[in-house]
Amino acid sequence: MRSVAVVGAGQAGIVLSAALLRAGWRVTLCSDLTAEQYLESGERPTACLFGDQVEYEAALGLDDFPDAPRADRIRLDLYTDDRLVALSVDAPLRKPALAVDQRLKFARGLRELAARGATVVTGSVTEGDLDSLAATHELVVVTVGRKTFGSLFARDPARSVHTSAQRTLFTVNVRGYDLDAHPRHRDIVFTFVPGVVEVFWVPFWDKDAGASRSIAVEAVPGGPADRFGAVTTASEGLAVLRGLVDEMLPGQASFLAPVRPTRETTWLKGAVVPAVREPVAVLPSGRHVLGLGDAVVLNDPIAAQGANNATRMARFFASRLGDYDGTAAWLRARFEEFWEVGRHANDFSEGMLVPMARHQRDVLVAASRHPEVGERLWEGFNDPSTLVPWFFDAAAAREFLARRGVGRWDVLRYRLGVAGTVLGRRVFRRPAPA
Ligand SMILES: Cc1cc2nc3c(=O)[nH]c(=O)nc-3n(C[C@H](O)[C@H](O)[C@H](O)COP(=O)(O)OP(=O)(O)OC[C@H]3O[C@@H](n4cnc5c(N)ncnc54)[C@H](O)[C@@H]3O)c2cc1C
């Protein structure tokens, strides 16, 4: 029987372990936290999964959350820097998205995998421990996320775009909102002030409160929305968020007014320095380990790709490892194969961090008038390879729009329409949609 040690019971580790158990491998799952400790832990990100990844988890029997709210649409409001909504895109997702509290998910995953025959070992694995795991297993896969083993997998300078964080982050989970008064919030809402802040309002299944909303803020460092640094509790963060919304996104103020945190300890702040690392590390003994998930491909969460990508990587490697020949070269070659498609998640994340190119603004303007264009745009969250080439290339974008009946003159007309809307809102101070 083939044997694998998976280090880290997070998104990549749970999914990979479930897939390899199903394929008949003997799995040792090493987790620094027990299921109970996961449930008691504090900070955890939003981690919204999109359609294909939701389906894959379901196919692996990891989807035991029947009451969790699914999102069928994304509604984007693009604000001007004087608090007006310039443009909205409201389009369906091809398949529902699902965001479940990772503490609950990973706690259940640990218990479920133990019940299916995995050997669960609790305790924080050190770099030194990896060697004894490698001596007793055919393969060791390190899926410890972004915070540990930072130097084990060498940074790949050719594939890493940044050396500093491009956003500061704040997340809080809330309940107490009124969906009848704010029906747009039944699905995912994005509210962006370009160059200043992106706020994501995501239907969420919280381990304490059940159906709730996870609000994730991405602020441009040093800008007027970068104000969560001194926050120490969920309530403090929510108060800062209310101030920010009043100043910059007034359309969301009434939604936010009645909410309260699901728990004082359920929130996070921080920043991510995106990086791509070598997928295989050679230990002092000469044995090697494979890295998956954030440990190797770490993106800013702006395009919600981290957990989706961890799932894609786990799925990809689970489908290939049956042919593993025990060499580092084989693992490196499979990573290159993965990267052919996987790199599009990085390009998409990078595309959302920088100011939009003109052709991307044209696509967005067209999407505000044609939901089918919006649907193709949103499909990028599920499968970023579908954005290629049209999201990244001006000529391809023109062709993409033309095939959907949107010509250059239409784009010009829509642009003038947006300018007229903004002017009208400036003159009449019409409230933005909530
Ligand atoms: C604010 C924010 C919002 C986000 N929103 C989204 C989103 O909407 N959609 C999305 O796809 N992604 C999102 N992400 C990213 C996503 O959460 C991560 O990319 C994803 O969880 C990575 O999966 P992973 O398996 O690599 O690591 P993790 O899920 O972090 O799992 C790693 C696990 O390893 C364990 N571990 C760590 N060290 C050790 C050790 N030494 N020994 C044993 N175990 C160890 C930890 O307990 C941890 O649970 C967000 C991230 C942030 C910061």
Side-chain angles (χ1 to χ4, degrees):
M1 192 186 229
R2 309 202 73 172
S3 65
V4 62
V6 178
V7 181
Q11 186 63 34
I14 297 276
V15 169
L16 181 75
S17 298
L20 290 182
L21 274 173
R22 181 167 288 189
W25 288 60
R26 180 167 64 81
V27 175
T28 305
L29 181 53
C30 306
S31 174
D32 57 345
L33 302 177
T34 62
E36 293 69 30
Q37 286 168 336
Y38 260 124
L39 291 174
E40 282 315 307
S41 60
E43 61 168 57
R44 273 290 159 184
T46 309
C48 180
L49 287 188
F50 291 92
D52 290 346
Q53 286 66 250
V54 175
E55 284 185 355
Y56 186 58
E57 282 196 338
L60 291 173
L62 298 172
D63 63 334
D64 189 21
F65 306 99
D67 299 324
R70 263 89 175 152
D72 295 316
R73 308 180 75 80
I74 297 178
R75 302 189 166 97
L76 162 71
D77 288 335
L78 214 58
Y79 279 74
T80 61
D81 49 16
D82 61 347
R83 309 165 80 229
L84 298 166
V85 174
L87 173 155
S88 298
V89 177
D90 180 346
L93 292 163
R94 287 196 170 164
K95 298 172 189 172
L98 176 62
V100 173
D101 195 321
Q102 289 190 327
R103 295 166 296 184
L104 190 59
K105 206 165 146 174
F106 301 164
R108 287 206 191 160
L110 269 177
R111 289 188 181 128
E112 177 61 25
L113 295 178
R116 292 183 195 177
T119 303
V120 174
V121 179
T122 308
S124 187
V125 174
T126 63
E127 285 195 40
D129 297 331
L130 293 177
D131 210 44
S132 40
L133 287 170
T136 50
H137 296 79
E138 204 174 331
L139 175 65
V140 175
V141 187
V142 176
T143 65
V144 293
R146 65 188 165 104
K147 286 189 179 160
T148 42
F149 297 157
S151 59
L152 180 68
F153 300 102
R155 183 174 177 274
D156 180 341
R159 287 174 174 166
S160 303
V161 180
H162 299 288
T163 50
S164 62
Q166 301 301 297
R167 294 289 188 275
T168 57
L169 311 172
F170 169 75
T171 299
V172 66
N173 296 349
V174 299
R175 56 182 160 176
Y177 44 81
D178 180 353
L179 286 183
D180 291 332
H182 300 281
R184 302 173 84 237
H185 278 274
R186 291 188 197 287
D187 290 292
I188 296 171
V189 172
F190 294 173
T191 48
F192 295 177
V193 187
V196 178
V197 70
E198 296 88 11
V199 186
F200 303 86
W201 314 71
V202 182
F204 192 74
W205 190 250
D206 180 275
K207 81 174 174 70
D208 298 306
S212 53
R213 291 297 176 274
S214 186
I215 307 172
V217 181
E218 295 247 343
V220 172
D226 182 6
R227 52 174 85 170
F228 294 88
V231 165
T232 60
T233 64
S235 291
E236 275 177 34
L238 189 53
V240 175
L241 178 61
R242 285 199 171 100
L244 186 153
V245 161
D246 286 345
E247 278 176 43
M248 300 181 189
L249 308 164
Q252 300 304 321
S254 59
F255 175 80
L256 211 50
V259 309
R260 57 194 184 283
T262 57
R263 210 178 191 186
E264 248 347 290
T265 49
T266 297
W267 67 284
L268 69 76
K269 67 179 180 183
V272 169
V273 182
V276 181
R277 300 178 182 280
E278 298 291 341
V280 177
V282 178
L283 305 173
S285 64
R287 298 189 181 96
H288 58 265
V289 297
L290 170 71
L292 288 190
D294 279 1
V296 169
V297 180
L298 179 61
N299 277 304
D300 183 284
I302 192 162
Q305 288 304 299
N308 284 282
N309 211 39
T311 310
R312 291 184 200 113
M313 287 179 96
R315 180 178 190 170
F316 175 86
F317 273 90
S319 74
R320 300 293 194 281
L321 280 171
D323 296 327
Y324 175 48
D325 65 4
T327 65
W330 188 93
L331 294 171
R332 288 196 187 99
R334 295 295 77 69
F335 182 79
E336 290 308 310
E337 204 183 311
F338 168 79
W339 189 249
E340 279 301 304
V341 178
R343 68 192 164 89
H344 300 309
N346 290 46
D347 293 343
F348 182 35
S349 302
E350 179 58 20
M352 283 187 67
L353 285 173
V354 296
M356 266 185 283
R358 188 188 167 90
H359 72 272
Q360 290 168 336
R361 291 201 297 271
D362 288 348
V363 169
L364 209 57
V365 169
S368 72
R369 307 293 175 113
H370 298 266
E372 66 274 20
V373 174
E375 186 179 354
R376 286 295 306 268
L377 203 52
W378 297 164
E379 178 61 8
F381 289 94
N382 174 45
D383 178 359
S385 71
T386 63
L387 298 172
V388 180
W390 56 272
F391 185 70
F392 302 99
D393 178 83
R398 269 197 302 279
E399 197 187 314
F400 166 83
L401 290 177
R403 264 188 275 123
R404 281 154 190 83
V406 185
R408 282 180 189 223
W409 289 110
D410 297 310
V411 173
L412 191 63
R413 202 156 43 83
Y414 299 159
R415 276 177 170 273
L416 287 172
V418 170
T421 303
V422 171
L423 188 65
R425 287 188 173 146
R426 277 199 180 122
V427 172
F428 297 108
R429 301 310 299 178
R430 253 184 41 206

